Amino acid sequence: MAGNTYCEASQGHPLHGPYHDDEYGFPSTDERVLFERLVLEINQAGLSWLTILKKRPAFRAAFDGFDVDRVAAYGEAERARLLADAGIIRNRLKVDAVIENARRIVAIRSTHGSFSGWLEAHHPRSKPDWVALFRRTFRFTGGEIVGEFLMSLGYLPGAHHDGCPAGQRAMAATPPWVRAVRAGFTGYNAEKIVTPAPASQSSA
């Protein structure tokens, strides 16, 4: 997805529209939300985002509502079940990555309390630095996957263009990248930044 064209392309679409208007670029600390977004971005590799949105209910059912602990405990029987499930993407590398990444999120809890805590502990940083960190920590997390995951949750700017109503609502929720810019962080690509209003005006 290209952030500055997605705002127009999503309008009125039965799947893109709700995702763009209510989720894309909005912050969340919910572990299931974070894990779901990572799973979906991993599975989008080589495919369209529309394909993933169409399959989203099937992914949710296949991966136990994106319960990290349940997925982390998957063994060979669950792996075989997933690879036989026509409702999702039957790619062994992607399935293996999802299971292993759930296990790594469980491990992260011992050092950072939660997946959200881990993200916050490493924020802010530039996209290349984020990509390097994800590659050291998780599986199947290349530059595009990491960039979209972080942009979709407000850890990187660029999800919406200037003037997009959904983008304004996302900024009003004070995503991490907005907090970073207000605190003086200059490590983002300037071309992708919609200048955030001062904190005193952010709720207007």
Side-chain angles (χ1 to χ4, degrees), residues 119-161:
L119 289 166
E120 285 295 324
H122 293 287
H123 179 76
R125 59 181 59 209
S126 67
K127 179 182 173 180
D129 287 345
W130 273 118
V131 171
L133 176 64
F134 266 75
R135 282 177 169 162
R136 292 196 303 269
T137 310
F138 297 105
R139 288 178 58 179
F140 213 104
T141 48
E144 185 172 350
I145 290 169
V146 173
E148 276 296 335
F149 170 76
L150 294 168
M151 191 185 300
S152 76
L153 291 159
Y155 280 94
L156 289 176
H160 300 273
H161 66 60

Side-chain angles (χ1 to χ4, degrees), residues 8-132:
E8 287 80 20
S10 65
Q11 296 308 299
H13 192 280
L15 295 177
H16 285 306
Y19 176 74
H20 167 272
D21 292 349
D22 301 320
E23 297 182 72
Y24 194 45
F26 288 78
S28 178
T29 59
D30 187 305
E31 187 172 72
R32 291 193 188 217
V33 171
L34 299 177
F35 185 49
E36 176 187 20
R37 204 68 56 83
L38 183 60
V39 171
L40 297 183
E41 292 295 350
I42 286 171
N43 277 277
Q44 195 235 335
L47 302 168
S48 73
W49 186 241
L50 181 57
T51 295
I52 299 304
L53 290 178
K54 286 179 178 178
K55 291 179 175 286
R56 193 176 188 181
F59 274 107
R60 185 173 291 117
F63 288 103
D64 285 302
F66 300 105
D67 184 303
V68 170
D69 293 289
R70 285 178 175 268
V71 177
Y74 283 0
E76 287 306 316
E78 289 84 5
R79 182 177 283 103
R81 170 180 62 80
L82 292 166
L83 291 172
D85 189 342
I88 64 171
I89 307 302
R90 293 179 289 181
N91 179 298
R92 184 175 296 275
L93 290 176
K94 293 178 179 181
V95 167
D96 287 348
V98 169
I99 297 170
E100 179 59 28
N101 287 341
R103 294 169 180 167
R104 295 186 186 187
I105 291 171
V106 170
I108 278 171
R109 292 179 190 153
S110 66
T111 55
H112 294 86
S114 65
F115 191 10
S116 174
W118 181 84
L119 289 166
E120 285 295 324
H122 293 287
H123 179 76
R125 59 181 59 209
S126 67
K127 179 182 173 180
D129 287 345
W130 273 118
V131 171

